[in-house]
Amino acid sequence: MKFPKYYTFWQKVGMHGLRLTAWGVLAFLMIPILVIIPLSFNAEPYFTFTPGMLAFDADAYSLKWYEEIINDDKWMLAIKNSFFIGFFATVIATVLGTLAAIGLSNPVMPFQRAIMAMLLSPMIVPLIITAAGMYFFYTQLGLSGSYLGVILAHAALGTPFVIITVNAALSGFDFSLMRASLGLGATPSYTFFNVIMPLIRPGVISGALFAFVTSFDEVVVILFLAGPEQRTIPRQMFSGLREQINPTILAVAVLLVIISMLLLLTIEYLRARGEKIRTGEV
């Protein structure tokens, strides 16, 4: 790394120290996650590195735990449920969160801060309290142990993420464009889909991805509300750790890490694109 000539010695030391600290924090966060990748290829049913693995013996590595995922009906049901519940929860959270963010962005909206605080409460209140409250409430409605109940619960948890990302996208939105569209005779629905949505689309998609990840990784609410038929991947992993430790859990964890990384890269791409849209580069 080259520094400008006017940089002093201590400024250079500080820059190098900052870079080393950043790499150290990254390693602290990533190494515990990345270590599960080689362990998921262990030919033995252990959660430790065997002597053969440390010696890079080909026979010590195997794909059988990944094959176990496909051959096990419980894991396949959990995967299907995770995507099914996550998809519909994301759709509901995205619609509600986007509309709420647009409404709260209106300067004439009364009690904006109080309403925003209430809408963001699922992110603030401890999840165990939220799950317990949902359990007692949904039990009265007959939604406990049903797909609809789990979907609505996950949608409630994902909506705050959509509100935050869409609200951030609206921070640079020029509302005179909306007024001009309405003034020229366009209907509110036409203005929304053809004027507002193209400019805030990166924020909406980012919020939807956050909502999907929230649903996909959630386990506490599932423990309270889901029945045997609504078992998701985190719930199945939790059961596997309690009932029978099996390296299949590591294989599933690797797949979840890959999915999470792809989603994070997508979110970062959308964030950069949204920034370009706000600055007029796109």
Side-chain angles (χ1 to χ4, degrees):
M1 179 178 179
K2 295 183 179 180
F3 295 94
K5 294 182 179 179
Y6 57 82
Y7 265 44
T8 65
F9 170 78
W10 292 111
Q11 285 176 316
K12 295 178 182 179
V13 171
M15 290 296 294
H16 283 301
L18 182 62
R19 171 170 288 192
L20 289 174
T21 302
W23 280 108
V25 172
L26 180 63
F28 176 77
L29 295 174
M30 294 302 298
I31 289 177
I33 298 175
L34 297 178
V35 74
I36 68 173
I37 296 178
L39 285 175
S40 67
F41 296 100
N42 191 353
E44 301 295 332
Y46 305 128
F47 275 46
T48 59
F49 289 98
T50 62
M53 294 182 68
L54 296 176
F56 297 102
D57 184 0
D59 294 333
Y61 294 86
S62 174
L63 293 172
K64 65 179 182 179
W65 306 119
Y66 291 89
E67 297 174 355
E68 184 70 20
I69 299 174
I70 301 174
N71 297 327
D72 193 321
D73 294 336
K74 290 183 179 180
W75 280 112
M76 293 307 299
L77 176 63
I79 292 172
K80 292 177 182 178
N81 283 340
S82 289
F83 280 101
F84 177 81
I85 294 171
F87 173 79
F88 286 102
T90 299
V91 171
I92 296 173
T94 303
V95 173
L96 297 180
T98 301
L99 295 177
I102 293 175
L104 290 171
S105 65
N106 193 329
V108 300
M109 179 74 178
F111 308 111
Q112 285 184 343
R113 293 187 177 181
I115 296 174
M116 178 67 80
M118 287 188 292
L119 292 175
L120 298 184
S121 60
M123 298 178 59
I124 303 170
V125 177
L127 193 54
I128 186 69
I129 298 177
T130 302
M134 287 180 174
Y135 171 75
F136 290 112
F137 179 69
Y138 284 5
T139 300
Q140 298 298 320
L141 300 177
L143 294 175
S144 180
S146 67
Y147 281 102
L148 180 59
V150 176
I151 289 172
L152 293 177
H154 282 194
L157 296 177
T159 299
F161 294 94
V162 180
I163 293 175
I164 290 175
T165 55
V166 175
N167 191 58
L170 286 168
S171 62
F173 181 77
D174 186 1
F175 284 92
S176 62
L177 297 174
M178 181 181 67
R179 292 191 291 270
S181 176
L182 295 173
L184 291 173
T187 61
S189 60
Y190 181 90
T191 301
F192 175 77
F193 287 107
N194 294 277
V195 178
I196 300 177
M197 183 56 69
L199 297 176
I200 67 172
R201 185 179 293 119
V204 173
I205 298 176
S206 297
L209 292 176
F210 276 118
F212 179 80
V213 171
T214 300
S215 172
F216 204 78
D217 292 341
E218 203 286 319
V219 65
V220 179
V221 171
I222 289 292
L223 291 174
F224 276 84
L225 296 180
E229 295 300 319
Q230 294 84 43
R231 180 171 299 208
T232 60
I233 293 176
R235 179 67 175 87
Q236 182 64 26
M237 295 177 71
F238 182 81
S239 298
L241 290 173
R242 288 186 59 191
E243 299 168 3
Q244 180 183 4
I245 296 180
N246 190 315
T248 308
I249 298 174
L250 297 177
V252 175
V254 171
L255 297 179
L256 292 179
V257 169
I258 294 174
I259 293 174
S260 299
M261 291 180 65
L262 292 176
L263 290 176
L264 287 174
L265 290 174
T266 303
I267 292 172
E268 177 60 24
Y269 168 77
L270 293 171
R271 186 202 62 78
R273 181 173 176 80
E275 186 67 27
K276 291 182 179 179
I277 291 176
R278 283 194 295 270
T279 57
E281 298 180 18
V282 177

